[in-house]
């Protein structure tokens, strides 16, 4: 099946329907109906989002292969039939009403550098390597960390607002600030709150700050000012953590664009929309995929 007409899975739901993908002018919202869930259009933005208009086998199962902290360890995603799906391509980004899917790669207070393997079939989560050795952060990350599915930072696209930096060829990263420690492969519903424009060795590597909807503080935070009010110092701590984490390995500190400050929710939504559009071009093969897996 072509990458732009793939089967979609969402964790935790129980409907079944055929799936097709298309460019749409408005995002979708989920509503319950007599035979499960359906998508309804919700007018929230004039931006075009690439998404899917139905879901199929919307139960996602996690299958681990190999032992953790080994080179062979992989965390695959499967539907209820046991068919492998891609957490990057097959989990829908937009869930409607400003809510997005977030896939946990690295649980908070852990140090193994886990990531979606964008160059492997079905893009499982694995531990990153360097020179054949497993990579670890020099100190634990203090938040749940992962990606927004169906986004891509185009390495051929220079961002004029962030020092002309080119995308890092990966999905957009998310820093989830809720209180619970999540598990590798968890799919959470989150709302974006802010964005940090990290520049890593000249590449633009967006960090979307978000909170899971099931967090006790979720109703209190809806934009960047609320983060400062209810999670004081968190945005600075996130920036400083990502600025400095490579220094113990003898590398220079990372830089940040946009005046070295976090941008607000509207800017974060703009980043998500633009990188979703880039992903759409990628899976439609209007942009060369290189070594990236579109399966």
């Amino acid at each position: 099946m072509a990458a732009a007409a793939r089967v979609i899975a969402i964790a935790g739901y129980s409907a079944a329907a055929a799936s097709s993908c298309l460019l749409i002018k408005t995002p979708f919202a989920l509503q319950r109906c007599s035979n499960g869930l359906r998508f309804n259009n919700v007018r929230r933005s004039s931006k075009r989002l690439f998404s899917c208009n139905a879901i199929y086998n919307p139960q996602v199962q996690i299958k681990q292969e190999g032992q953790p902290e080994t080179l062979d360890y992989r965390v695959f995603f499967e539907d209820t039939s046991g068919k492998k799906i891609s957490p990057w391509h097959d989990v829908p980004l937009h869930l409607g009403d400003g809510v997005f899917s977030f896939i946990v790669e690295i649980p908070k207070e852990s140090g193994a550098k886990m990531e979606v393997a964008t160059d492997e079939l079905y893009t499982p989560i694995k531990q990153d390597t360097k020179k054949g050795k497993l990579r670890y952060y020099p100190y634990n990350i203090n938040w749940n960390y992962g990606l927004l599915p169906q986004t891509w930072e185009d390495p051929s696209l220079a961002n004029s607002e962030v020092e002309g930096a080119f995308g890092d060829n990966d999905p957009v990263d998310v820093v989830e600030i809720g209180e619970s420690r999540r598990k590798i492969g968890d799919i959470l519903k989150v709302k974006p709150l802010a964005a940090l424009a990290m520049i890593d060795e000249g590449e633009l590597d967006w960090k979307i700050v978000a909170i899971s909807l099931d967090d006790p503080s979720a109703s209190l935070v809806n934009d960047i000012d609320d983060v400062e009010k209810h999670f004081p110092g968190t945005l600075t701590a996130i920036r400083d953590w990502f600025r400095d984490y490579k220094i113990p390995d003898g590398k220079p500190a990372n830089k940040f664009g946009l005046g070295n400050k976090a941008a607000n929710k509207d800017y974060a939504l703009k980043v998500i929309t633009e990188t979703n559009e880039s992903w759409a071009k990628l899976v439609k093969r209007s942009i060369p995929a290189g070594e990236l897996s579109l399966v």
Side-chain angles (χ1 to χ4, degrees), residues 218-236:
S219 63
L220 302 176
V221 286
N222 294 291
D223 209 330
I224 190 169
D225 292 338
D226 297 327
V227 179
E228 296 289 10
K229 178 179 179 181
H230 297 284
F231 294 81
T234 295
L235 293 173
T236 298

Side-chain angles (χ1 to χ4, degrees), residues 88 151-157 166-173 198 203-207 271 275 278-279:
W88 181 19
T151 61
W152 180 56
E153 298 187 48
D154 186 349
S156 69
L157 186 63
F166 291 85
D168 71 349
N169 203 32
D170 281 326
V172 171
D173 296 326
M198 190 176 93
E203 294 182 337
L204 179 55
D205 187 2
W206 287 106
K207 308 298 180 188
V271 170
T275 54
S278 292
W279 173 83

Side-chain angles (χ1 to χ4, degrees), residues 13-169:
Y13 296 123
S14 58
S19 173
S20 62
C21 297
L22 69 163
L23 281 168
I24 55 174
K25 291 185 178 180
T26 55
F28 289 123
L30 288 170
Q31 289 190 352
R32 293 204 170 271
C33 53
S34 58
N35 61 349
L37 294 166
R38 68 174 181 264
F39 290 98
N40 281 349
N41 285 341
V42 179
R43 294 188 177 277
R44 292 186 59 82
S45 171
S46 61
K47 289 285 188 179
R48 295 166 67 84
L49 288 173
F50 191 79
S51 189
C52 293
N53 64 358
I55 55 176
Y56 174 75
N57 284 340
Q59 297 286 340
V60 173
Q61 304 173 103
I62 300 301
K63 181 180 180 182
Q64 300 182 55
E65 296 186 3
Q67 295 298 314
E69 299 189 63
T70 68
L71 294 174
D72 296 328
Y73 182 63
R74 298 291 186 275
V75 178
F76 284 96
F77 289 62
E78 297 181 346
D79 63 20
T80 52
S81 71
K83 180 184 181 296
K84 288 180 179 177
I85 62 172
S86 166
W88 181 19
H89 301 307
D90 292 333
V91 175
L93 168 66
H94 205 289
L95 301 179
D97 200 26
V99 178
F100 298 84
S101 298
F102 160 56
I103 298 169
V104 178
E105 295 169 304
I106 305 174
K108 68 187 297 184
E109 306 306 334
S110 64
K113 192 176 186 303
M114 309 299 295
E115 62 178 20
V116 161
T118 57
D119 59 349
E120 296 184 11
L121 289 178
Y122 303 109
T123 64
I125 297 174
K126 70 172 186 178
Q127 189 166 350
D128 191 20
T129 61
K130 183 177 181 181
K131 297 181 179 179
K133 295 183 178 180
L134 297 172
R135 292 187 65 187
Y136 294 86
Y137 290 123
Y139 31 76
N140 286 350
I141 191 167
N142 306 126
W143 311 273
N144 297 300
Y145 187 55
L147 70 125
L148 289 174
Q150 299 186 348
T151 61
W152 180 56
E153 298 187 48
D154 186 349
S156 69
L157 186 63
N159 192 307
S160 60
E161 297 178 359
V162 188
E163 302 182 19
F166 291 85
D168 71 349
N169 203 32

